[in-house]
Every structure is written in C-alpha cells, then in structure tokens.
Amino acid sequence: MFIPFEQKLYKATFIERPNRFILHCKLDEEGEMVRVHLPDPGRLKELLQYGATIYLRYSDKKDRKTKWSAVLVHDPLDGTLVSLQTTLVNHLIEKALKENKLKDFEQFTYKAREYRKGRSRWDFYVSKGDLHHLIEVKSVSLGVKGVGYFPDAITKRGTKHVQELTSIVTEGSEWLGTILFVCQRNDLHSVRPAKHIDPTFAKALQEAKHRGVNLLAYSTNITPEGISLMDEIPVLVKED
C-alpha cells in the first residue's frame, strides 16, 4: 500500500519555529529564507532542532497565506525520515480499507469517513451485517530506540476520543471500536502510550483495552517519493 508525494520536494534547513503552525527554513539550493506552514501542531521538540534537514512542498495557490508546507524531516539524532503531515496516514488507511488490505477488517465493508456517532466524529466507519465498527487513527511521530510513543504533547482531545469510544463499545455488542496507531517514521517496531508526557491519556488507553477496544499499530516506510504501509506491530499497554 503506497501513496506517492505528487509534488516535487525541496530540501531545506530548519531554522526556527515561531509558533505551532509556522516554520522558518532556508532552502538548500537558493539559500532563500522561506516561511513554511507546519501541518503537525504537535510538540516535535526532538525533531525540529536548529539545522535539521527538512523537505518542503511549494504551492502557488492564491488563497494560501504561505507558499511552502513542511512534508518530511530527518530526525537529528539518527537521520530517520519522519513525516510531518498528520493527515497523510488517514489517506493511507482509507485506501487500505477500501482495497481490503488490513487483516483485522477483511470481513468489513468500508462505509464512511468522518462518521458521527455520539458527540464525536470518527475517522472511519466500517460494517458487517448488523455489526458496526468505528476506527480512530492516531499518528505517531515520537520515537525512542525503536519504540513509538503517543502523544508527544498532552492531548485532552485524544483522551476524550478514547473515553467516548470505550463508552460506545460497552453500550452493546453491535458496536466495535479500534484505536489505530500509524507510524510516521521508519524505525519503529512497537508503540506505547507516552505515560511520561500524558498520564491521563495512558490511563484512558489502558481502560479502553480492558473494556474491549481494539488497539492496533502499523509501521510505515517513508522516502522522499512517498509513504508505504508496512507491518502490524504491537501496542504495548502496561496493565496495573
């Protein structure tokens, strides 16, 4: 399962991040300083360090406030390529669901994206007869020694999603739920909740697993040409 980057990527050097959604970068070829939109509002402290190699996409659309967008960055620690586009993995999972490429959902039919149930919209809704399944995708960009951690900053919204999905699953046997972690970097072999960053989210995820919410994770392969969905990897949730 592969999604290409349809536009040319330009190599640049990261200089600074004045706010959550804006970067200042220096294009390698021209030496020009450019203002860049950052699609990932996460902390990204370990990745966005001065001098890091970053890949940008250019757009000349008139309605854009910035002409450049950040696409990839090399982890300054080990050089691993990391995607900075949080929605990219949703497109990857949508394609995999529609083409029936995910083992856990082989018996289900793709129905909708951004499906409303309860007080939230869920990334995907699939069904099989009278059985309904909600899927919420989480993008993992923080990695330490091959282990992916989510989140990389406190996420009240993420905790709310986990808690509400847990409630839906425990309402009745006709509703199933999955939290699907998708790696945004090449070097991960497992995923864990980042208890050291957001203990509330970690506790909610542990409770979700205990009450029947399915936890899945997939690795990816990222190159300057695109992103590929690779293998299922374990989600390690410590039981108290």
Side-chain angles (χ1 to χ4, degrees):
M1 186 60 55
F2 175 73
I3 291 183
F5 299 129
E6 296 180 353
Q7 294 172 270
K8 177 183 176 180
L9 299 186
Y10 296 81
K11 201 172 182 182
T13 300
F14 170 72
I15 304 300
E16 63 178 351
R17 182 185 187 180
N19 63 54
R20 289 176 67 201
F21 294 100
I22 295 294
L23 307 178
H24 292 159
C25 300
K26 185 177 182 180
L27 295 174
D28 281 12
E29 289 187 13
E30 297 85 353
E32 178 187 357
M33 289 290 295
V34 292
R35 189 169 180 264
V36 180
H37 170 65
L38 177 64
D40 186 344
R43 187 182 58 145
L44 303 174
K45 179 181 178 182
E46 294 79 8
L47 299 173
L48 296 178
Q49 297 184 21
Y50 179 84
T53 298
I54 193 165
Y55 292 86
L56 311 178
R57 181 181 67 235
Y58 179 79
S59 174
D60 58 1
K61 291 182 179 179
K62 293 182 180 180
D63 58 342
R64 283 180 58 101
K65 294 181 179 180
T66 57
K67 297 298 184 183
W68 297 89
S69 292
V71 179
L72 304 171
V73 65
H74 280 288
D75 187 323
L77 187 63
D78 59 14
T80 297
L81 266 179
V82 185
S83 170
L84 295 172
Q85 297 182 298
T86 54
T87 60
L88 183 62
V89 294
N90 289 66
H91 294 301
L92 197 60
I93 294 302
E94 181 177 28
K95 185 176 182 181
L97 287 170
K98 286 181 174 179
E99 297 182 12
N100 203 26
K101 298 295 186 181
L102 298 181
K103 181 181 66 175
D104 286 75
F105 306 103
E106 285 177 342
Q107 304 303 315
F108 289 85
T109 301
Y110 179 93
K111 290 294 185 179
R113 186 171 179 174
E114 295 295 321
Y115 179 80
R116 180 170 289 279
K117 167 71 175 172
R119 300 184 302 277
S120 297
R121 290 184 182 273
W122 306 95
D123 288 325
F124 300 105
Y125 163 54
V126 298
S127 69
K128 179 179 67 173
D130 295 330
L131 198 59
H132 311 280
H133 202 140
L134 300 173
I135 304 168
E136 183 67 14
V137 177
K138 302 297 183 187
S139 169
V140 182
S141 60
L142 176 60
V144 180
K145 296 181 179 179
V147 179
Y149 289 91
F150 184 91
D152 78 339
I154 292 174
T155 172
K156 293 181 179 179
R157 182 173 179 271
T159 298
K160 172 181 171 290
H161 273 148
V162 172
Q163 291 171 337
E164 186 168 357
L165 189 58
T166 303
S167 296
I168 291 171
V169 167
T170 53
E171 280 178 5
S173 58
E174 70 276 12
W175 283 97
L176 303 175
T178 292
I179 304 292
L180 176 53
F181 298 95
V182 184
C183 300
Q184 288 266 62
R185 50 189 296 149
N186 294 337
D187 58 346
L188 304 183
H189 53 67
S190 63
V191 171
R192 294 178 182 268
K195 188 175 182 180
H196 59 294
I197 294 173
D198 192 341
T200 303
F201 176 86
K203 185 176 180 180
L205 194 68
Q206 181 179 319
E207 178 67 13
K209 180 182 179 182
H210 179 70
R211 295 177 65 181
V213 175
N214 189 32
L215 305 183
L216 284 178
Y218 276 86
S219 63
T220 58
N221 182 53
I222 301 168
T223 71
E225 286 71 47
I227 182 171
S228 299
L229 191 67
M230 302 301 285
D231 302 317
E232 184 178 337
I233 59 176
V235 180
L236 305 176
V237 179
K238 183 179 179 180
E239 297 288 350
D240 290 337

